[in-house]
């Protein structure tokens, strides 16, 4: 069982390693380029537990929310098992992210979820109207999202604008429980799913060697003096 401090330490190392790897790619993204910064961002509960106080005030802004029908690992599992993917209920909402400031910068940049960190385009999507992600970036992002979900399995997963309010309510309920001395059940938002374990990596055949090299290096990172990320996650690659 991975405790919360181990999970957060592992998550930070995943962020650091992916950023270093992606910095070698030729991407057009720059500060103020916000065409792809929408409300269509998913994350696990683990990714936002430490940022609630900084982010909660922005959640009062109203707007539509994209709500995927399945998690990354549910989707990968269906693909790997050859099951038909049902796209019903998988809303794509491209309204601007509520965390954008007046200069089109990110007001939560140091604390942004991995779905924001990993996105990149080889062309300026503000001018072309569409992002173009290198194939290897798409493959590496998918397996990394799978790993992050595996790391937070059992916790809530969903759109950022559903996960954050749920965590605020959860913290408030926990505080009330402590004050009253009575244990009250915690409610889970109807739009959220549970992060699940890794069913296997979903990688296109022509990218398998490059992704394997990425995973080998990622899993060799030490989370503590005695534990590597691969050993902590207990994933065979």
């Amino acid at each position: 069982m991975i405790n919360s401090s181990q999970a957060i330490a592992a998550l930070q190392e995943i962020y650091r390693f992916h950023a270093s790897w992606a910095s070698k790619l030729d991407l057009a993204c720059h500060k103020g380029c916000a065409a792809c910064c929408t409300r269509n961002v998913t994350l696990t509960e683990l990714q936002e537990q430490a940022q609630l106080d900084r982010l909660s005030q922005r959640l009062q802004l109203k707007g539509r929310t994209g709500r995927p029908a399945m998690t990354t690992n549910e989707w990968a599992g269906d693909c790997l098992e050859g099951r038909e993917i049902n796209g019903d209920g998988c809303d794509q909402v491209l309204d601007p992210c509520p965390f954008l400031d007046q200069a089109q910068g990110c007001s939560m940049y140091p604390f942004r979820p991995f779905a924001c960190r990993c996105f990149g385009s080889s062309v300026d999507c503000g001018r072309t109207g569409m992002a173009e992600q290198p194939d290897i970036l798409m493959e590496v992002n998918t397996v990394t999202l799978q790993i992050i979900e595996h790391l937070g399995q059992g916790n809530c997963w969903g759109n950022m604008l559903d996960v954050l309010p749920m965590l605020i309510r959860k913290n408030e309920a926990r505080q009330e429980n402590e004050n009253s001395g009575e244990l009250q059940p915690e409610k889970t938002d109807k739009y959220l799913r549970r992060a699940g374990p890794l069913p296997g990596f979903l990688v296109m055949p022509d990218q398998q060697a490059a992704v394997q090299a990425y995973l080998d290096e990622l899993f060799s990172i030490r989370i503590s003096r005695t534990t590597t990320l691969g050993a902590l996650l207990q994933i065979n690659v």
Side-chain angles (χ1 to χ4, degrees), residues 110-128:
F111 319 108
R112 66 201 186 282
F114 183 74
C116 301
R117 294 170 185 267
C118 73
F119 197 85
S121 174
S122 56
V123 299
D124 187 335
C125 17
R127 289 187 299 180
T128 64

Side-chain angles (χ1 to χ4, degrees), residues 10-226:
L11 185 65
Q12 294 303 318
E13 287 299 324
I14 292 170
Y15 285 173
R16 182 196 61 76
F17 179 78
H18 183 277
S20 175
W21 175 87
S23 69
K24 302 177 180 68
L25 301 178
D26 184 16
L27 301 176
C29 307
H30 56 84
K31 186 175 182 179
C33 172
C36 297
C37 299
T38 70
R39 291 172 173 262
N40 199 40
V41 174
T42 59
L43 47 74
T44 62
E45 180 178 339
L46 171 67
Q47 294 181 73
E48 294 305 328
Q49 286 174 334
Q51 279 72 260
L52 294 182
D53 291 340
R54 301 179 179 92
L55 306 179
S56 59
Q57 69 275 12
R58 290 274 179 161
L59 299 177
Q60 306 305 316
L61 298 175
K62 303 298 183 182
R64 298 182 301 160
T65 301
R67 296 182 171 110
M70 55 178 54
T71 75
T72 308
N73 279 338
E74 286 176 326
W75 169 72
D78 281 358
C79 290
L80 291 168
E81 293 294 326
R83 293 189 289 268
E84 184 176 352
I85 304 297
N86 184 357
D88 293 345
C90 188
D91 300 327
Q92 296 288 316
V93 174
L94 302 180
D95 296 353
C97 176
F99 296 105
L100 288 174
D101 60 27
Q102 292 183 341
Q104 295 297 286
C106 179
S107 63
M108 57 178 274
Y109 191 80
F111 319 108
R112 66 201 186 282
F114 183 74
C116 301
R117 294 170 185 267
C118 73
F119 197 85
S121 174
S122 56
V123 299
D124 187 335
C125 17
R127 289 187 299 180
T128 64
M130 183 179 297
E132 293 184 14
Q133 281 194 310
D135 290 344
I136 185 57
L137 180 61
M138 293 180 65
E139 300 297 322
V140 162
N141 287 350
T142 298
V143 299
T144 308
L145 285 165
Q146 288 190 256
I147 291 166
I148 290 173
E149 182 180 341
H150 180 88
L151 182 64
Q153 61 186 284
N155 290 326
C156 290
W157 182 100
N159 186 286
M160 147 176 92
L161 301 179
D162 290 322
V163 174
L164 288 170
M166 180 277 297
L167 286 176
I168 291 170
R169 294 193 299 270
K170 194 173 182 180
N171 284 357
E172 290 173 347
R174 187 178 294 118
Q175 187 63 49
E176 290 178 6
N177 290 341
E178 292 173 357
N179 292 338
S180 66
E182 298 179 1
L183 183 62
Q184 301 293 329
E186 294 178 346
K187 295 181 180 179
T188 300
D189 193 292
K190 65 179 180 179
Y191 296 117
L192 299 177
R193 304 184 69 81
R194 292 288 177 183
L198 183 78
F201 289 117
L202 191 63
V203 183
M204 294 298 291
D206 64 333
Q207 299 294 331
Q208 286 180 352
V211 171
Q212 184 66 58
Y214 171 88
L215 291 173
D216 288 344
E217 192 171 352
L218 175 63
F219 287 156
S220 69
I221 293 173
R222 291 202 170 275
I223 305 303
S224 68
R225 287 194 305 114
T226 59

